[in-house]
Amino acid sequence: MPSVTEIASFLASEFPHATWTVQSVGNMSATLRHPIGSAELRPGGTVSGPVLMTVADVALYVAILGEIGIVPLAVTTSLNINFLRKPSADRAIIGHCKLIKLGRTLAVGEVNLYSEGLDDPVAHVVGTYAIPRDRS
Amino acid sequence: MPSVTEIASFLASEFPHATWTVQSVGNMSATLRHPIGSAELRPGGTVSGPVLMTVADVALYVAILGEIGIVPLAVTTSLNINFLRKPSADRAIIGHCKLIKLGRTLAVGEVNLYSEGLDDPVAHVVGTYAIPRDRS
Amino acid sequence: MPSVTEIASFLASEFPHATWTVQSVGNMSATLRHPIGSAELRPGGTVSGPVLMTVADVALYVAILGEIGIVPLAVTTSLNINFLRKPSADRAIIGHCKLIKLGRTLAVGEVNLYSEGLDDPVAHVVGTYAIPRDRS
Amino acid sequence: MPSVTEIASFLASEFPHATWTVQSVGNMSATLRHPIGSAELRPGGTVSGPVLMTVADVALYVAILGEIGIVPLAVTTSLNINFLRKPSADRAIIGHCKLIKLGRTLAVGEVNLYSEGLDDPVAHVVGTYAIPRDRS
């Protein structure tokens, strides 16, 4: 299975402008870190919802790639997010994904999102990915 | 906070025909057990989806009551279920709820549902409850 | 494609204890009616959440069968419900499903649930079904 | 209630870098248009999921502001998206929101997302917003 370095290299080519980094992958899980700057904030000093959704979506993708290998055509089919607490404006967002099902054609995972260094999640996501049948 | 016995007694009066039992409650969590008989099965020998949703919904309710006391007017506002694996036809369903947010007016929890004695969840639920403001 | 009568007959054999009836099917949609009696009520005089979820789930199933023919192995993969208003205790529940995608392996539909004769929906559901590849 | 111009002016101050425009608002609904350029695409020529989620989230916000007035503190509490079809790489994304409940403290709406000029939605969203109690 691919290493963190191999997945990070693949993602860097697929998302050349991304600022997040893959912290870990393997054992049906993955952790992503997204630094927060002024571009990710909304007035009131909160991290925008789409930034949280992006981190969750990519963390799911990375966790799946960590299990099945680098399959660019895996695509999100659904994502359900609950916003729990206001994220800190001056801390990175950490997304920790745990896959709860990895079938032949469908993967399901959950992602807890945190302001780095704090214990309580700021959002919780459940997402599903369709995995292409013919992968080589 | 109410004990398992007090919550079970309250539920027995609120849902007189229910066959499930509360196994544990406390620490932002609850576990419910629902026996499976022919009434809960669909042809093909699988537990019907609504039985799983019921167990999840009640497990959330019990976990919340365990934290805020017996507040009959707490009501479900949303429930999102992913069906993961075919449940066993001859095993009870166990629902284990963990609250991930308990605010003043909204609670959010997740529930993993299992065929009793098996490790992999058959379904995963995220649900939200509205908590009445004035509770006495 | 199957008629209302053919689908109703299939469902009657698959769910022999069901009390709901299929009112219409076709054009990527279906309407189901579920009578409400004391067994479907919770104290406080409201229709229980699992009854609403059941109506939504079956309405989705019927709408799909209306398009692809009677395929018993289509199974729900996810269901997301938002509870909007307290249902009337003395009116049947009407579920109206509209499919929004019917792919080769996945169908997605939404269901509006009503207390019969009233205009505002009591709940809104989005559900997905997996459709078996080999159907004959 | 605020006009399209008033809401657009408020949004321009709240999201100074946004490229979307409000096309209409009122009658419990809103329509948003998001132009698509290379920054919104993923390799393979598809619009990224977070762009779709952003359009849906803002369309909900605009529809709510159109009913209750400009209340900056309304915040998303949950969002559920189903991806239905691959969006066109060279068409703007249109998000059409319809509110299905507008309560005192909670609003629920659905959003259909389209590639501009095409009939079939590329994604479907249900989202909820918490509305602050004290608004002045």
Side-chain angles (χ1 to χ4, degrees):
Chain A
M1 284 298 102
S3 66
V4 170
T5 308
E6 286 164 331
I7 289 176
S9 166
F10 164 70
L11 291 173
S13 67
E14 194 168 11
F15 304 94
H17 303 300
T19 58
W20 28 263
T21 51
V22 179
Q23 293 196 318
S24 67
V25 62
N27 292 317
M28 298 279 278
S29 68
T31 303
L32 208 76
R33 180 183 191 276
H34 193 307
I36 298 299
S38 61
E40 284 83 14
L41 294 180
R42 282 185 52 174
T46 193
V47 178
S48 81
V51 169
L52 298 176
M53 295 185 244
T54 301
V55 174
D57 190 31
V58 178
L60 266 159
Y61 190 43
V62 170
I64 293 167
L65 299 188
E67 297 300 316
I68 67 175
I70 291 176
V71 177
L73 295 179
V75 292
T76 319
T77 52
S78 73
L79 190 147
N80 185 59
I81 185 165
N82 280 275
F83 298 94
L84 303 172
R85 293 169 189 88
K86 187 177 170 178
S88 173
D90 52 7
R91 290 169 184 265
I93 292 292
I94 304 293
H96 181 66
C97 173
K98 181 85 193 128
L99 298 180
I100 53 182
K101 178 185 176 174
L102 182 63
R104 279 177 309 135
T105 60
L106 195 69
V108 183
E110 64 172 323
V111 185
N112 280 290
L113 295 154
Y114 301 89
S115 286
E116 191 171 37
L118 302 184
D119 282 345
D120 288 323
V122 297
H124 179 269
V125 168
V126 179
T128 58
Y129 263 75
I131 300 170
R133 287 240 161 179
D134 303 313
R135 38 190 211 253
S136 52
Chain B
M1 284 298 103
S3 66
V4 170
T5 307
E6 286 165 330
I7 289 176
S9 166
F10 165 69
L11 291 173
S13 67
E14 194 168 10
F15 303 94
H17 304 300
T19 58
W20 28 263
T21 51
V22 179
Q23 293 195 317
S24 67
V25 63
N27 292 318
M28 299 279 279
S29 68
T31 303
L32 208 76
R33 181 185 191 274
H34 193 309
I36 299 300
S38 61
E40 285 82 16
L41 294 180
R42 284 184 50 173
T46 192
V47 178
S48 81
V51 169
L52 297 176
M53 295 187 244
T54 301
V55 173
D57 190 32
V58 178
L60 267 159
Y61 190 44
V62 169
I64 293 167
L65 298 188
E67 298 298 316
I68 67 174
I70 291 176
V71 177
L73 294 179
V75 292
T76 318
T77 52
S78 72
L79 191 147
N80 186 60
I81 185 165
N82 279 275
F83 298 94
L84 304 172
R85 295 171 187 86
K86 187 177 172 178
S88 172
D90 53 8
R91 290 169 185 263
I93 292 292
I94 303 293
H96 181 67
C97 173
K98 181 87 193 127
L99 298 180
I100 52 182
K101 178 185 176 174
L102 183 63
R104 280 176 309 136
T105 60
L106 195 70
V108 183
E110 64 172 322
V111 185
N112 280 290
L113 295 154
Y114 300 88
S115 286
E116 191 172 38
L118 302 183
D119 283 344
D120 288 324
V122 297
H124 178 270
V125 169
V126 178
T128 58
Y129 263 75
I131 301 171
R133 287 239 161 179
D134 302 313
R135 37 193 212 252
S136 52
Chain C
M1 283 301 102
S3 66
V4 169
T5 308
E6 287 164 330
I7 288 177
S9 167
F10 164 70
L11 291 173
S13 66
E14 194 168 10
F15 303 93
H17 303 299
T19 57
W20 28 262
T21 51
V22 178
Q23 292 195 319
S24 68
V25 62
N27 292 317
M28 299 279 279
S29 67
T31 303
L32 207 76
R33 181 184 190 276
H34 192 308
I36 299 300
S38 60
E40 285 83 14
L41 294 180
R42 281 183 53 171
T46 193
V47 178
S48 81
V51 169
L52 298 176
M53 296 185 243
T54 301
V55 174
D57 190 32
V58 178
L60 267 159
Y61 190 44
V62 170
I64 293 167
L65 298 188
E67 298 299 316
I68 67 174
I70 290 174
V71 177
L73 294 180
V75 292
T76 319
T77 51
S78 73
L79 191 147
N80 185 60
I81 185 165
N82 279 275
F83 298 94
L84 304 172
R85 293 169 189 86
K86 188 178 171 177
S88 173
D90 53 7
R91 290 169 184 265
I93 292 292
I94 304 293
H96 181 67
C97 173
K98 182 86 191 129
L99 297 179
I100 53 183
K101 177 183 176 176
L102 183 63
R104 280 175 310 134
T105 60
L106 195 71
V108 183
E110 65 172 324
V111 185
N112 280 290
L113 295 154
Y114 301 89
S115 285
E116 191 171 38
L118 302 183
D119 282 344
D120 288 323
V122 297
H124 178 270
V125 169
V126 178
T128 58
Y129 263 75
I131 301 171
R133 287 240 159 176
D134 303 311
R135 37 191 213 251
S136 52
Chain D
M1 284 300 102
S3 66
V4 169
T5 307
E6 287 164 330
I7 288 176
S9 167
F10 164 69
L11 290 173
S13 66
E14 194 168 12
F15 304 94
H17 304 299
T19 58
W20 29 262
T21 51
V22 179
Q23 293 195 319
S24 67
V25 62
N27 292 317
M28 298 279 279
S29 68
T31 303
L32 208 76
R33 180 183 192 275
H34 193 309
I36 298 300
S38 61
E40 285 82 16
L41 294 180
R42 280 184 53 172
T46 192
V47 178
S48 81
V51 169
L52 298 175
M53 294 186 244
T54 301
V55 174
D57 190 31
V58 178
L60 267 159
Y61 189 44
V62 170
I64 293 167
L65 299 188
E67 297 300 315
I68 68 174
I70 292 176
V71 177
L73 294 179
V75 293
T76 319
T77 51
S78 73
L79 191 147
N80 185 59
I81 185 165
N82 280 274
F83 298 94
L84 303 171
R85 294 170 189 86
K86 186 178 172 177
S88 173
D90 53 7
R91 290 169 184 265
I93 292 292
I94 304 293
H96 181 66
C97 172
K98 182 86 193 126
L99 298 180
I100 53 183
K101 177 184 177 175
L102 183 63
R104 280 176 309 135
T105 59
L106 196 69
V108 183
E110 65 172 324
V111 185
N112 280 289
L113 295 155
Y114 300 88
S115 286
E116 190 171 39
L118 302 184
D119 282 345
D120 289 322
V122 297
H124 179 270
V125 169
V126 179
T128 58
Y129 263 75
I131 301 171
R133 286 239 160 178
D134 302 313
R135 37 193 213 250
S136 52

